[in-house]
Amino acid sequence: MIGTGILKGMAVTARNFVGSYFDKERLITVQYPEERNPLPENYRNFPFLIYDGNDPHAGLRCVACKICEKECPPQCIYIVKSEDKKPDYMGKPQFYPKVFDIDISVCMSCQICVEVCPFEAIKMDKEFELSKRERFNHLLLRTEDLAKPNEYYHGICPTDAADVDAKLAAAAEAAAKKKAAVAAPKAATAE
């Protein structure tokens, strides 16, 4: 019979409409500014930079290797390497980005920059309310806007952040053991 699909669809709609008065799970609409649906842990929007400790400049994990800038398909990342070096999380002197900008009007949230970063310095954020009235300079996120603490990353992606911290701690421990192993023969020969 013609129209059975329409009748079946209307029956489903009627069941959901009547059921929404008795079961909160059947509600489809969310009162947005007051209520928000929880975002999944693997949700991605725009990249941000992670720093350890309290100082965003001193604790920034990025060493300005420019891999993310080269691999970015829309070429929206702009990095200028510093002239001097600062110690990284393992105490090894590293360069740092003098300028690190991302043009979010061009960024397509592909997450390639996160995948290619060898220092776990760039991750994807869950913040999506980034609309601005101005069009040009306000859509360019600078280092100050991009730098967020490791605790923030633990808040939005607890599982992934714990894995990254464990991997970085293991790398720091291996570097410390290697340094101690190299220093032990030197100390023995000095005596």
Side-chain angles (χ1 to χ4, degrees):
M1 182 167 142
I2 298 175
T4 56
I6 292 174
L7 291 175
K8 287 179 184 178
M10 292 182 79
V12 169
T13 303
R15 257 195 319 267
N16 283 331
F17 175 72
V18 172
S20 68
Y21 285 102
F22 305 108
D23 186 15
K24 189 164 174 67
E25 294 297 318
R26 287 186 172 235
L27 284 176
I28 305 300
T29 306
V30 175
Q31 302 299 321
Y32 172 63
E34 294 83 25
E35 296 178 30
R36 294 170 186 244
N37 283 335
L39 296 171
E41 188 169 340
N42 61 352
Y43 176 85
R44 63 179 192 237
N45 197 19
F46 292 114
F48 70 96
L49 296 172
I50 298 178
Y51 68 87
D52 296 314
N54 297 328
D55 186 15
H57 178 69
L60 200 62
R61 290 183 185 172
C62 181
V63 296
C65 64
K66 295 188 175 189
I67 295 173
C68 57
E69 181 183 43
K70 291 175 189 146
E71 295 294 326
C72 182
Q75 298 296 304
C76 64
I77 300 174
Y78 178 70
I79 301 171
V80 175
K81 192 182 286 192
S82 65
E83 308 297 325
D84 56 334
K85 294 183 177 185
K86 68 172 179 70
D88 66 353
Y89 65 96
M90 288 195 282
K92 202 166 97 178
Q94 293 282 354
F95 288 106
Y96 60 92
K98 186 176 181 181
V99 175
F100 194 111
D101 296 340
I102 296 178
D103 187 358
I104 62 169
S105 66
V106 179
C107 179
M108 59 188 210
S109 302
C110 64
Q111 199 174 359
I112 291 175
C113 56
V114 175
E115 294 171 6
V116 299
C117 182
F119 299 97
E120 303 288 347
I122 189 166
K123 297 294 178 185
M124 297 305 274
D125 204 350
K126 289 186 178 184
E127 186 178 345
F128 57 89
E129 296 169 331
L130 298 172
S131 62
K132 309 275 185 192
R133 293 182 76 76
E134 298 80 14
R135 288 182 11 187
F136 300 107
N137 204 20
H138 294 277
L139 294 174
L140 183 69
L141 297 181
R142 305 200 187 297
T143 312
E144 304 80 37
D145 305 323
L146 293 169
K148 295 186 180 179
N150 194 21
E151 292 78 30
Y152 174 79
Y153 182 49
H154 276 275
I156 62 172
C157 296
T159 310
D160 189 35
D163 293 342
V164 168
D165 283 352
K167 188 167 75 170
L168 291 176
E173 185 178 320
K177 284 182 182 178
K178 184 178 177 183
K179 190 175 182 181
V182 170
K186 290 182 181 178
T189 57
E191 293 176 355

